[in-house]
Amino acid sequence: MNIKKLSISGLYIIEPRVFEDDRGYFYESYRRSVFKEAGIQVSFVQDNVSRSRAGTLRGLHYQIRSPQAKLIQCLKGRILDVAVDLRRSSDSFGKYYSLELSESNKKQFFIPEGFAHGFSVLSDEAIISYKCSDYYNPEGERGIRWDDPSISIDWRVEDCVLSDKDCKLPYLKELEEQDLFK
């Protein structure tokens, strides 16, 4: 397993070692000791699976109470996965990192607490799986607009399919101080 630190502090790309033969493939998607050795010390308590159709855009979501670190992978199809830094004290506050996750590249994206997360579906369908370090807390749920001009994310989809809730999220500059991470 190759774990690579990214330019925004706390973000990592994980590239598993894949064993393939004529039966298919096998890889370890998570090994606590390898993550710990790379400096990622997190305990996961919840696994989620999401299925979405082409053009779907989910995000940008986070939890201010019960914040979650996430380990995301795409099991079917292709997505553009995005993390936006919402840590007020960070040099990269308001900046984002994006990468393509797919069933063929088998990469994973580790996002620590303090980030908003979202993704767009680049294939006909996508199934993603992600581990969370805390439980879903609807009272602590927050979000920012997917099309915030101060962030300018190129989601690589046209005519994206959004939930009503995601269309009504505030822009980053509209967030209250208590809705940001220190």
Side-chain angles (χ1 to χ4, degrees):
M1 191 177 297
N2 181 31
I3 299 180
K4 177 180 158 189
K5 283 185 180 183
L6 297 174
S7 57
I8 296 179
S9 176
L11 297 179
Y12 293 83
I13 294 175
I14 293 87
E15 297 174 314
R17 188 170 170 210
V18 181
F19 300 92
E20 293 187 70
D21 63 24
D22 30 328
R23 299 170 296 164
Y25 64 83
F26 168 85
Y27 66 91
E28 276 186 359
S29 61
Y30 175 73
R31 181 181 280 233
R32 177 184 246 166
S33 62
V34 173
F35 275 60
K36 186 176 179 181
E37 192 175 296
I40 304 171
Q41 297 200 40
V42 63
S43 293
F44 295 112
V45 298
Q46 180 176 317
D47 283 8
N48 300 321
V49 175
S50 170
R51 178 183 169 272
S52 303
R53 62 184 175 99
T56 295
L57 195 152
R58 295 184 186 264
L60 295 157
H61 306 139
Y62 65 100
Q63 290 184 179
I64 198 67
R65 288 193 307 253
S66 307
Q68 297 175 315
K70 295 178 179 173
L71 179 62
I72 299 109
Q73 64 180 323
C74 184
L75 302 175
K76 180 178 182 181
R78 294 175 27 239
I79 64 169
L80 181 71
D81 209 59
V82 176
V84 178
D85 192 347
L86 297 180
R87 302 170 298 178
R88 247 328 186 188
S89 61
S90 171
D91 291 340
S92 52
F93 175 77
K95 296 196 176 0
Y96 77 94
Y97 191 92
S98 67
L99 76 148
E100 188 173 307
L101 301 177
S102 70
E103 66 183 303
S104 59
N105 72 21
K106 297 175 185 51
K107 291 179 182 178
Q108 296 174 300
F109 193 18
F110 176 79
I111 303 171
E113 296 176 4
F115 285 77
H117 172 251
F119 66 90
S120 60
V121 178
L122 307 175
S123 53
D124 290 338
E125 173 184 56
I127 297 174
I128 70 163
S129 171
Y130 56 103
K131 294 184 167 304
C132 299
S133 65
D134 208 341
Y135 300 106
Y136 173 65
N137 177 353
E139 292 80 32
E141 187 176 26
R142 301 288 186 276
I144 52 177
R145 284 280 300 244
W146 64 278
D147 60 348
D148 189 317
S150 72
I151 304 170
S152 275
I153 299 168
D154 177 6
W155 291 98
R156 297 174 33 196
V157 294
E158 293 182 31
D159 302 321
C160 52
V161 180
L162 295 155
S163 71
D164 288 340
K165 181 175 86 172
D166 287 353
C167 290
K168 296 174 185 167
L169 292 172
Y171 292 106
L172 181 58
K173 68 181 181 184
E174 297 171 331
L175 292 179
E176 304 281 332
E177 193 63 33
Q178 70 265 14
D179 289 334
L180 295 170
F181 297 92
K182 292 187 181 350

